[in-house]
Amino acid sequence: PCGRKRTHSLAADPESFYKMNTKSNAVTDLTLKTLNNLKTTVPPLVQEFVKLAQKYQQQCSLLAAAGVALADSVYKIGNSVNSDMGEALRKLGEAMREEENKREELARALVTDLITPIKQAADTDVREVLMFEKNYKKDRDTLRNEILRLEAKTKKLGSGKKTSPEQLKSQIQELNDRVREAELMRSNKMRDVVLLERKKYGAFIGSWNFIITRQIESHSAALNNLRAGEPTWSALPSTMQSAPKDIEEMIKKQDRTLVQIQSSEGGASQSTSSPNLRLSFGPGAIAGYESYADYDSYDTQAYTPQPGEGGELPYQGRVLYDYAGEEETDLPLTAGETLTIVQHDDGSGWTKGQNFAGQIGIFPSTYIELF
């Protein structure tokens, strides 16, 4: 009797057993909400993203092309300058070009590794979601109908006077099994749809991360190039007022002017109206001389200026600074000594003179003060 009363209580409401033995609708609600989001909300957002990504890619490509043109312009300017400034400009142009080439590579990667895969996956994703939703609803409805059928059967057995407790217990067990099966199905489907969502967003993030990695590699390489050249580019502007070292050496070694040559007998040139002159701008064979060294030499015999020779000369000058001389044709100077001027500076920066020891040579014009 106790078992019969309990049976009748359980079967009083056809829906009561189903309601008491199912989980909250939160699981179903989350599943359906996720499906709806994947089916209706995400696709338009993806389409908008693809459109904007294509525009961004086009702008990147245009910017890279403009950057390459700018880099080539800098390089051409460097080619027009034969000095350390030119070399620095060429290196700057090369660094700029490499950076823009990396930008163009990134623009291509946006198409091949981001935009195209996302576009191809968009339609597939929608079909996958629709198929998942169809199967989910089919499985859910099948189990629900089975549970309702078993509930009705349980109710009928519970109200039957000839039903034994064992029969009713067996029927309730079958109903409970179906309810647990429905609960497990709902939980599994919720997990599946959440994983489906994560797979799609994960693939999206993975594509972007690939682009980000390419950007980091690109910017790192460009940054290293810029850092390598930055000390030179920072230092060169401060040298604008000085000539490069190689130019200074060339000036010191090769910048000589027209100076009067002594006759082979050691006296002055035979003609005062057309004196023999020496052109000493650089090395090389010169007519009448076997070498530049032979040509660029002076007779060391004492020279006494003749009145009127070479124009109106102030024949004396006081040495202001010591000068050791750099070539055999130079006249060493000692600060304070007095020189006889043989030939004035003609604009080259060099003067020819004779010291009290009878040595004759040229020296920087700024090293003496004329009387």
Side-chain angles (χ1 to χ4, degrees):
C2 292
R4 181 65 60 124
K5 179 183 283 187
R6 181 183 177 191
T7 301
H8 279 284
S9 175
L10 289 172
D13 182 357
E15 297 290 335
S16 61
F17 192 85
Y18 177 75
K19 291 179 180 179
M20 288 187 297
N21 289 276
T22 57
K23 290 184 177 179
S24 168
N25 285 334
V27 172
T28 301
D29 290 344
L30 178 59
T31 302
L32 294 175
K33 181 179 179 181
T34 304
L35 282 171
N36 185 68
N37 183 57
L38 290 173
K39 183 177 66 174
T40 61
T41 305
V42 174
L45 295 177
V46 172
Q47 291 176 1
E48 181 183 12
F49 167 81
V50 169
K51 182 179 179 180
L52 293 174
Q54 288 174 329
K55 184 176 181 180
Y56 175 74
Q57 184 273 333
Q58 293 168 359
Q59 294 297 322
C60 281
S61 187
L62 290 173
L63 181 60
V68 168
L70 182 63
D72 289 346
S73 176
V74 173
Y75 191 90
K76 289 177 182 177
I77 294 173
N79 266 344
S80 69
V81 183
N82 187 24
S83 68
D84 53 346
M85 293 288 187
E87 182 180 0
L89 285 168
R90 289 191 294 273
K91 288 184 177 179
L92 177 58
E94 290 171 352
M96 292 171 61
R97 170 177 269 278
E98 183 171 349
E99 182 178 8
E100 298 308 326
N101 287 338
K102 294 291 186 181
R103 194 192 304 276
E104 177 58 30
E105 290 178 8
L106 177 62
R108 291 195 295 266
L110 282 170
V111 175
T112 59
D113 301 315
L114 182 68
I115 298 174
T116 299
I118 289 177
K119 286 177 64 178
Q120 293 174 344
D123 293 337
T124 303
D125 289 347
V126 171
R127 289 195 297 269
E128 187 178 6
V129 170
L130 291 175
M131 182 60 68
F132 183 94
E133 183 182 37
K134 179 181 178 180
N135 292 335
Y136 165 73
K137 290 183 177 180
K138 179 182 178 181
D139 293 343
R140 181 196 63 181
D141 292 344
T142 297
L143 283 173
R144 181 177 180 183
N145 292 334
E146 179 67 12
I147 289 172
L148 291 175
R149 184 186 68 79
L150 290 174
E151 278 194 330
K153 184 177 180 180
T154 302
K155 177 183 176 183
K156 183 177 180 180
L157 287 175
S159 62
K161 295 180 180 180
K162 295 182 179 182
T163 304
S164 66
E166 289 75 15
Q167 288 177 314
L168 183 60
K169 181 178 179 181
S170 176
Q171 185 60 41
I172 292 173
Q173 182 63 46
E174 185 180 2
L175 177 59
N176 280 330
D177 290 343
R178 286 292 182 271
V179 169
R180 282 193 291 269
E181 184 180 349
E183 292 174 351
L184 182 61
M185 185 275 294
R186 285 196 297 270
S187 297
N188 288 339
K189 291 295 183 180
M190 181 183 69
R191 180 185 296 108
D192 290 343
V193 76
V194 168
L195 292 178
L196 178 64
E197 181 184 51
R198 289 180 64 82
K199 183 185 76 171
K200 298 185 184 308
Y201 287 133
F204 183 86
I205 294 172
S207 297
W208 255 124
N209 186 62
F210 182 81
I211 298 299
I212 291 171
T213 301
R214 294 287 295 270
Q215 283 182 309
I216 292 173
E217 293 174 353
S218 171
H219 291 318
S220 295
L223 186 60
N224 289 337
N225 286 337
L226 293 175
R227 281 177 173 168
E230 193 273 337
T232 299
W233 301 325
S234 295
L236 280 177
S238 64
T239 67
M240 289 186 295
Q241 301 302 320
S242 11
K245 184 177 179 180
D246 58 336
I247 300 298
E248 290 288 359
E249 291 296 326
M250 185 182 298
I251 292 172
K252 291 179 180 178
K253 292 182 178 180
Q254 298 184 355
D255 187 13
R256 292 297 183 264
T257 186
L258 292 169
V259 293
Q260 192 168 358
I261 301 177
Q262 300 295 324
S263 66
S264 59
E265 290 78 11
S269 297
Q270 299 301 313
S271 173
T272 58
S273 59
S274 299
N276 295 322
L277 297 177
R278 174 171 64 92
L279 182 61
S280 177
F281 280 115
I286 300 175
Y289 298 91
E290 294 182 359
S291 67
Y292 174 75
D294 294 335
Y295 176 69
D296 195 26
S297 62
Y298 289 97
D299 191 330
T300 57
Q301 292 183 2
Y303 173 77
T304 304
Q306 301 299 317
E309 182 179 48
E312 296 297 329
L313 291 175
Y315 297 120
Q316 299 293 319
R318 182 172 61 252
V319 177
L320 300 175
Y321 315 104
D322 291 341
Y323 177 62
E326 298 178 356
E327 298 183 5
E328 293 181 359
T329 56
D330 293 347
L331 178 64
L333 305 179
T334 302
E337 71 174 320
T338 300
L339 301 179
T340 297
I341 306 304
V342 174
Q343 184 173 347
H344 282 311
D345 182 358
D346 62 354
S348 65
W350 296 86
T351 298
K352 183 177 180 181
Q354 176 182 351
N355 60 19
F356 284 116
Q359 294 176 302
I360 297 176
I362 59 174
F363 50 85
S365 301
T366 56
Y367 279 48
I368 62 168
E369 179 183 25
L370 299 178
F371 296 156

